[in-house]
Amino acid sequence: MPAAVAGPEIERLIQLLARLPGLGPRSARRAALFLIKKRELIMAPLAAAVQTALEKIEICGTCGNVDTQNPCTVCRDVNRDPSMIVAVADVADLWALERAHAVNARYHVLGGTLSPLDGVGPQDLTIDALVSRAHDPAVKEVILALNATVDGQTTAHYITDLLHGANVTVTRLAHGVPVGGELDYLDEGTLSAAIRQRTAI
Amino acid sequence: MQWTDEGIVLGVKRHGETSSILELMTREHGRHLGLVRGGAGRMLRPVLQAGNLVNAVWRARLDQHLGQFVIEGLNLRVGAMLTQSHAVYGVTHLAALCRLLPERDPHPAIVPMVEAILDHMSDVAIVGALTAQFELHLLTELGFGLELDCCALTGAREELIYVSPKSGRAVSRTAGEPWRDRLLRLPPFLTEEDAADPSMRDIADGFALTGYFLLRRVLEPRGAGFAEARDSFIATLIARAPTE
């Protein structure tokens, strides 16, 4: 095992940076060196921003989004269509849809998908809260924007079954050829789904 | 160590940022796990979906190691099933059932049975019967097989229409009549090869029978229960069945 080349505080910083997604031990070392070199310009504001975010982060009591206020910015936005709820598995999916400006609706973060392999059951997700929100007379449509995986679609069908009693239209995202996708390189499952769900031009 | 085999994907867990740990039900090597480098990438994610048939090459330095899989898709049928509720519940349920088998213990009959079920997934009338038969066979594979060839009380081999919930043995119509309320119903399609096409009631009875023994003899001793997928699968099958 190589001897430590820096004090325990710096080694600890490198260890923690290495846990971030996209960073391994080498890139964490580079990032730590960069922070040390730019102590005043980057490191101090970054530390302050992390501390502030840590103190202020809240999970929205309505939709499960992450924000610094509760209800979150999305739920407070009066310009969003209150008749539509987009159900997503994770906050990352909510952010992806917002980046795409794909829909101007309210959201509901489930907190994952049903997965027997990982021991995730309905009680581990916020499905009950979604069903409760869907029973609001103002809600007319629930869009299930879940992954096109077996777990994602099992969750979608499970929620659809639970929403039978609610007076809402339940829709899901289309499955098929991605933008820029070449048919020759697509897997058979995607091609089969795309053919089944073809639309008239 | 190296072998090549075909297997059905049971599940996949992300490992790090680019790799996955794949769980396969193979023809000759039983339920087997292994690391798939690049398994979380765009190319392999559609292949590594539960229910797909793949060709797997497994390599490891020692037999006890997790090892690495090199995977090639053979029949990526699941993509076409995602819109059918009973199909996704069925795939999830079948994967959960296969997961009851011990790891790396060969069960050569399992993969052909699961393949048959997945191939008939669009035919609601057939898939229910095949799945109930699979659950019955799984009990045997796990060492808890039911004795359904003769009556536990009289030894008769005709008109076996009940099963004792205590012994797991068949009971004939006449011998079981006094206890009919306490006995489980044995539908003919579970025991007779040339039985008539089962009704939805027969299929529901079959699931009640196999579910009872799977729960009592396999799941409860492990402190587990059925995942929601089984109930949802049976409910959607019954809802989609043609009216008799």
Side-chain angles (χ1 to χ4, degrees):
Chain A
M1 194 172 157
V5 293
E9 295 81 6
I10 294 174
E11 285 296 330
R12 176 81 178 137
L13 175 66
I14 294 167
Q15 275 178 10
L16 290 174
L17 285 172
R19 288 192 194 175
L20 295 177
L23 294 188
R26 273 172 178 270
S27 41
R29 210 164 273 279
R30 281 178 60 203
L33 274 174
F34 176 79
L35 289 173
I36 290 163
K37 279 181 189 165
K38 308 265 183 183
R39 273 199 295 277
E40 300 304 320
L41 198 62
I42 305 284
M43 198 178 196
L46 178 66
V50 169
Q51 184 61 38
T52 310
L54 178 67
E55 287 165 4
K56 293 200 169 179
I57 281 172
E58 285 194 67
I59 304 297
C60 177
T62 308
C63 72
N65 188 17
V66 173
D67 206 335
T68 52
Q69 51 188 350
N70 187 5
C72 68
T73 313
V74 174
C75 289
R76 282 169 186 252
D77 187 349
V78 291
N79 293 321
R80 287 179 184 272
D81 184 356
S83 69
M84 207 183 277
I85 297 175
V86 183
V88 292
D90 287 305
V91 175
D93 300 332
L94 189 160
W95 289 0
L97 285 168
E98 281 298 290
R99 268 201 316 274
H101 302 292
V103 62
N104 187 35
R106 299 188 187 281
Y107 287 91
H108 189 89
V109 180
L110 295 169
T113 51
L114 298 174
S115 172
L117 180 59
D118 297 322
V120 180
Q123 68 284 353
D124 301 310
L125 308 177
T126 59
I127 292 175
D128 290 345
L130 173 64
V131 173
S132 170
R133 287 181 72 188
H135 278 84
D136 184 334
V139 178
K140 302 289 177 216
E141 182 176 1
V142 174
I143 303 173
L144 300 173
L146 298 170
N147 295 337
T149 60
V150 172
D151 286 349
Q153 293 309 301
T154 303
T155 311
H157 288 297
Y158 183 79
I159 293 171
T160 307
D161 290 345
L162 293 180
L163 290 177
H164 270 312
N167 189 23
V168 292
T169 307
V170 184
T171 55
R172 62 167 181 78
L173 300 187
H175 299 162
V177 183
V179 175
E182 294 177 33
L183 297 191
D184 193 22
Y185 289 95
L186 285 181
D187 65 283
E188 295 93 316
T190 305
L191 278 174
S192 173
I195 286 287
R196 276 166 181 258
Q197 294 163 50
R198 64 191 183 277
T199 53
I201 297 175
Chain B
M1 302 290 304
Q2 176 172 332
W3 50 254
T4 303
D5 201 352
E6 287 182 5
I8 293 171
V9 177
L10 299 182
V12 66
K13 264 187 168 181
R14 198 153 177 160
H15 183 76
E17 288 185 46
T18 56
S19 301
S20 300
I21 293 177
L22 172 67
E23 188 176 19
L24 277 184
M25 189 70 224
T26 62
R27 290 190 195 279
E28 292 168 18
H29 298 85
R31 186 168 69 87
H32 211 293
L33 281 83
L35 183 79
V36 182
R37 297 240 179 250
R42 277 188 193 178
M43 293 296 285
L44 277 174
R45 258 184 301 175
V47 178
L48 304 183
Q49 292 298 314
N52 282 340
L53 181 72
V54 297
N55 185 70
V57 179
W58 181 81
R59 286 193 194 97
R61 195 165 62 79
L62 295 175
D63 194 26
Q64 300 92 319
H65 287 178
L66 174 67
Q68 288 189 28
F69 277 131
V70 176
I71 296 296
E72 188 184 346
L74 293 178
N75 187 352
L76 309 184
R77 53 167 77 84
V78 168
M81 292 182 185
L82 294 179
T83 53
Q84 304 168 52
S85 56
H86 77 279
V88 286
Y89 289 139
V91 169
T92 306
H93 174 51
L94 288 173
L97 287 177
C98 289
R99 224 165 265 140
L100 296 173
L101 293 163
E103 223 180 294
R104 301 190 180 195
D105 193 22
H107 294 274
I110 294 292
V111 170
M113 291 186 89
V114 175
E115 280 267 280
I117 295 169
L118 293 172
D119 287 340
H120 289 91
M121 199 54 96
S122 56
D123 193 335
V124 174
I126 294 176
V127 79
L130 288 176
T131 309
Q133 286 168 342
F134 176 66
E135 289 189 349
L136 186 66
H137 179 78
L138 192 72
L139 280 165
T140 308
E141 294 275 355
L142 290 165
F144 298 106
L146 308 184
E147 292 177 44
L148 305 177
D149 52 345
C150 66
C151 176
L153 298 172
T154 62
R157 292 180 177 273
E158 301 292 319
E159 286 210 295
L160 301 172
I161 63 162
Y162 300 115
V163 174
S164 161
K166 279 192 177 175
S167 66
R169 297 180 68 187
V171 179
S172 67
R173 183 189 297 275
T174 45
E177 199 54 33
W179 299 281
R180 57 182 296 180
D181 295 340
R182 282 187 270 171
L183 296 172
L184 296 161
R185 203 171 156 260
L186 174 62
F189 79 92
L190 284 181
T191 51
E192 298 168 17
E193 283 184 10
D194 53 350
D197 289 343
S199 65
M200 264 303 145
R201 198 206 153 183
D202 285 339
I203 291 172
D205 285 339
F207 277 120
L209 175 69
T210 53
Y212 179 86
F213 287 105
L214 277 171
L215 199 61
R216 292 292 153 88
R217 296 185 172 180
V218 181
L219 293 166
E220 283 181 354
R222 301 183 190 193
F226 283 118
E228 284 72 17
R230 185 179 190 268
D231 289 343
S232 302
F233 176 59
I234 297 168
T236 46
L237 280 185
I238 291 169
R240 282 167 177 249
T243 47
E244 290 157 43

